[in-house]
Amino acid sequence: MQQPSLFQKSLTKIWDIYSKDVGKSLIHLGAVGWLFGALAQVGALAFNKKIDKDEKCFLFPQEIADGVINVGLYYTICQGIKSFADKCVDKGSFIPENVHKAYEKLLSNKQLFTTDEQTQIFGSKKNITGALNKVTDSGFVKKLSPAAANFVNNEIKPAAAKMAGWKNGIGTIATFAASVLACNIITPYARNAVASKIQNMTGKKTYYDYKAYGKICSFAQSKTFSKFKI
């Protein structure tokens, strides 16, 4: 039997991680996209011979600052909002009714589990997702008594699967909303504020003269971003 290559193993690992948390994949891919965009701008600026050295002395910190702001704010805002949404789901602030009922059944059947097993399932803080994941883990179920294992397989496993899909969906929606907020409102405002400070320090009033030098790097720009001009 042919063994999977390292590349195939890597793809499988990536799929296992991101298929269960699409929101995380959106955050990471978005941050990487912003990073490569910033590198492209700085690289194009460095190799553009039409721009003189004095102009580049202003443009380099400008483009680097833009890149740091784009990547940093995008990641922190999206990750912060997604983490908040995940915690709300974990605590049961908004979960499907059948998941809530299954968790209540789990609580009312604590006697099926040993004291040590109860500690592992419920921990010190309320975390419905963590409890459902722990009690339905195959390795954990194998160690349970027959009565407890039968209860988990019949009553809890369907709810755990439903909860996993629900949390994934909520995280994806939260990430999408956060990305819109970050990309279209907060990041442009912060970028313009920093650009204004750099312009005041250098005495420059514009990024550069497009007619004299041409564009550094041409990318399609959304109509929303076009409203944020200095």
Side-chain angles (χ1 to χ4, degrees), residues 162-229:
K162 176 74 173 180
M163 185 64 157
W166 177 265
K167 184 177 179 179
N168 193 356
I170 293 297
T172 302
I173 294 172
T175 301
F176 179 77
S179 67
V180 173
L181 175 66
C183 295
N184 294 338
I185 300 175
I186 298 178
T187 299
Y189 177 83
R191 190 171 62 230
N192 284 352
V194 172
S196 295
K197 289 184 179 181
I198 294 176
Q199 288 173 3
N200 290 334
M201 290 182 346
T202 59
K204 299 286 185 179
K205 295 183 178 180
T206 58
Y207 282 100
Y208 48 83
D209 188 343
Y210 281 94
K211 293 182 180 180
Y213 304 117
K215 292 184 178 180
I216 291 178
C217 192
S218 179
F219 289 103
Q221 179 173 277
S222 70
K223 293 182 179 179
T224 305
F225 276 95
S226 66
K227 301 298 182 183
F228 294 88
K229 293 182 178 179

Side-chain angles (χ1 to χ4, degrees), residues 22-221:
V22 177
K24 181 190 291 185
S25 69
L26 293 177
I27 293 173
H28 290 176
L29 288 174
V32 170
W34 277 115
L35 176 61
F36 278 111
L39 292 175
Q41 287 290 100
V42 174
L45 173 62
F47 291 103
N48 193 326
K49 297 180 179 179
K50 295 181 179 179
I51 304 177
D52 58 45
K53 291 182 179 180
D54 290 337
E55 201 75 17
K56 285 184 178 182
C57 287
F58 159 69
L59 291 174
F60 269 122
Q62 176 75 63
E63 294 297 334
I64 292 172
D66 281 355
V68 171
I69 291 170
N70 289 338
V71 176
L73 284 182
Y74 175 84
Y75 184 85
T76 54
I77 291 170
C78 290
Q79 186 60 51
I81 292 177
K82 180 184 179 299
S83 295
F84 175 75
D86 286 344
K87 287 181 180 179
C88 288
V89 174
D90 290 340
K91 292 180 179 179
S93 298
F94 44 92
I95 59 175
E97 183 64 25
N98 58 341
V99 174
H100 177 73
K101 290 180 178 179
Y103 183 71
E104 291 297 322
K105 284 184 179 180
L106 184 61
L107 290 174
S108 62
N109 284 275
K110 278 187 175 183
Q111 70 278 3
L112 293 174
F113 308 97
T114 65
T115 302
D116 182 58
E117 288 170 349
Q118 290 181 29
T119 302
Q120 292 182 58
I121 295 169
F122 301 105
S124 58
K125 296 181 180 179
K126 182 180 180 181
N127 186 333
I128 296 177
T129 305
L132 295 178
N133 289 341
K134 181 60 182 179
V135 78
T136 55
D137 179 75
S138 58
F140 186 80
V141 173
K142 289 180 181 179
K143 299 177 183 179
L144 297 176
S145 65
N150 185 62
F151 167 71
V152 169
N153 289 326
N154 294 332
E155 301 289 340
I156 308 302
K157 271 193 174 181
K162 176 74 173 180
M163 185 64 157
W166 177 265
K167 184 177 179 179
N168 193 356
I170 293 297
T172 302
I173 294 172
T175 301
F176 179 77
S179 67
V180 173
L181 175 66
C183 295
N184 294 338
I185 300 175
I186 298 178
T187 299
Y189 177 83
R191 190 171 62 230
N192 284 352
V194 172
S196 295
K197 289 184 179 181
I198 294 176
Q199 288 173 3
N200 290 334
M201 290 182 346
T202 59
K204 299 286 185 179
K205 295 183 178 180
T206 58
Y207 282 100
Y208 48 83
D209 188 343
Y210 281 94
K211 293 182 180 180
Y213 304 117
K215 292 184 178 180
I216 291 178
C217 192
S218 179
F219 289 103
Q221 179 173 277

